Amino acid sequence: MTRDWSLDLLFPSIARVPTTLPWRLARRIGRESPSEREHLLRWLESLFARVFPHATDAEYAQWAKAHLAMLAQEMVDAMAFHRLGRWGGPAIDLQGAEYAKSLTRQGKGFILVLNHFDRILTAPVALARVGVATNVLTMPVLDNAELQSAQRRFLLRKIRGYTQVTGGRWHTTSDGLRPVHESLRAGQGWVILADAWRPEFGRLRGHPFLGGALNLPTGIERLAQSTGVPLLHAVTYSRSPAHLEVVVERLPDNPGKAIDTVVQRLEQDVIARPWAWWHWGLWDQMWQPTSGAEGNL
């Protein structure tokens, strides 16, 4: 299976299969070729053993398989956002929607902070189902030289389906942030990922995380500070491939404390569900040990 064929044909085709079967099939099909999969599983098991030395080999193997399954299921999500929370698609249990609904009724803009955890874009879709539209700010796609043509086509298709469901627009960091500032001040909501990371990012702040420091960009807190909008946080928990739970929370008014709270919650979630964090491949770039702290969990 080539990556181009998988992105252009396989996952888009699977996503059209009736019932929730596509999300169960994704675990078996995966995003990788068999040889790539075995390599990734061994690598993940080794990394989990470094970070969580008190777990067992069986747990490392289970987490590695669950991680790859989750990423494959998200590929189906990406081609079938219109089915999430609808008949024939994964069920969504939504908690805390009243926070976003209240801000929307008051005409107040807000930032919905997510992390690369579990099926990450389920929360904005769930909010759209109850009448809360949101826009999304992402890294560049069209002018991202690291993306191959098939990846770019897949992401553009994903974004198109996502914005059709969420009722907002897509904006990238390469397009400038002035429209985002204006939109927030005008009372609209924006989805931004707190743990988005690139090696060229210059404004980073370290957060206590798994015994060391996780270095994350400060863009969200600076944006909230300049616009005066409140911050909400949402996280998704897969209870099964076709049953998702979304929890929305209000964050502290101080933007810096708000992001601290988001990272603290991420740490708790990663400890409880190591397989559900997307960024293990960036671990050695994003995370720094403090006094040889890696492996204390």
Side-chain angles (χ1 to χ4, degrees), residues 93-277:
D93 295 331
L94 174 59
Q95 303 176 31
E98 63 272 12
Y99 299 120
K101 292 169 73 173
S102 175
L103 292 171
T104 299
R105 285 194 301 268
Q106 297 173 58
K108 293 183 177 180
F110 64 90
I111 298 173
L112 180 65
V113 184
L114 307 180
N115 282 304
H116 284 86
F117 186 84
D118 213 306
R119 311 259 285 274
I120 54 176
L121 293 177
T122 306
V125 171
L127 287 174
R129 301 297 189 212
V130 296
V132 179
T134 52
N135 307 291
V136 62
L137 179 68
T138 73
M139 297 295 292
V141 174
L142 290 174
D143 51 352
N144 188 335
E146 295 184 8
L147 294 176
Q148 298 177 356
S149 296
Q151 293 173 311
R152 190 175 292 109
R153 289 192 298 269
F154 184 88
L155 288 174
L156 290 175
R157 191 170 180 175
K158 174 180 182 178
I159 291 163
R160 183 167 61 250
Y162 171 82
T163 53
Q164 287 173 350
V165 171
T166 56
R169 56 177 161 147
W170 166 55
H171 192 81
T172 74
T173 52
S174 64
D175 297 325
L177 293 182
R178 182 174 179 179
V180 180
H181 282 255
E182 294 174 347
S183 177
L184 285 168
R185 293 191 178 104
Q188 296 186 18
W190 281 83
V191 172
I192 308 178
L193 286 136
D195 64 346
W197 192 90
R198 294 281 301 169
E200 67 267 21
F201 283 173
R203 297 184 177 182
L204 301 174
R205 183 161 69 90
H207 301 264
F209 192 82
L210 300 183
L214 189 68
N215 296 302
L216 297 179
T218 58
I220 294 177
E221 52 200 270
R222 289 184 285 111
L223 182 59
Q225 188 72 48
S226 65
T227 58
V229 300
L231 296 172
L232 302 179
H233 172 240
V235 61
T236 298
Y237 303 101
S238 296
R239 299 310 179 191
S240 74
H243 183 193
L244 307 171
E245 179 183 354
V246 172
V247 179
V248 179
E249 302 170 311
R250 185 71 186 260
L251 293 171
D253 292 335
N254 179 281
K257 291 181 179 179
I259 299 302
D260 289 342
T261 300
V262 167
V263 180
Q264 289 167 9
R265 170 53 65 91
L266 177 63
E267 180 184 46
Q268 295 168 7
D269 287 336
V270 171
I271 290 172
R273 300 158 71 86
W275 54 268
W277 195 38

Side-chain angles (χ1 to χ4, degrees), residues 1-121:
M1 173 172 31
T2 66
R3 184 176 296 273
D4 285 8
W5 183 78
S6 173
L7 293 172
D8 286 334
L9 295 173
L10 180 61
F11 278 99
S13 298
I14 291 172
R16 291 196 292 268
V17 175
T19 74
T20 58
L21 179 61
W23 287 270
R24 296 194 296 273
L25 286 175
R27 175 185 292 270
R28 295 181 177 275
I29 296 170
R31 305 192 308 173
E32 313 82 15
S33 68
S35 60
E36 289 175 328
R37 178 178 175 82
E38 287 306 311
H39 174 76
L40 281 171
L41 288 173
R42 302 292 87 77
W43 180 84
L44 283 165
E45 290 167 10
S46 175
L47 179 58
F48 287 143
R50 280 172 48 198
V51 180
F52 305 99
H54 301 299
T56 65
D57 289 344
E59 286 175 312
Y60 303 144
Q62 179 186 4
W63 296 344
K65 290 178 182 177
H67 180 75
L68 297 188
M70 178 268 296
L71 293 177
Q73 287 155 4
E74 197 275 340
M75 295 279 283
V76 180
D77 290 345
M79 297 294 100
F81 285 119
H82 62 286
R83 295 177 61 182
L84 301 186
R86 291 285 190 256
W87 185 87
I92 303 175
D93 295 331
L94 174 59
Q95 303 176 31
E98 63 272 12
Y99 299 120
K101 292 169 73 173
S102 175
L103 292 171
T104 299
R105 285 194 301 268
Q106 297 173 58
K108 293 183 177 180
F110 64 90
I111 298 173
L112 180 65
V113 184
L114 307 180
N115 282 304
H116 284 86
F117 186 84
D118 213 306
R119 311 259 285 274
I120 54 176
L121 293 177

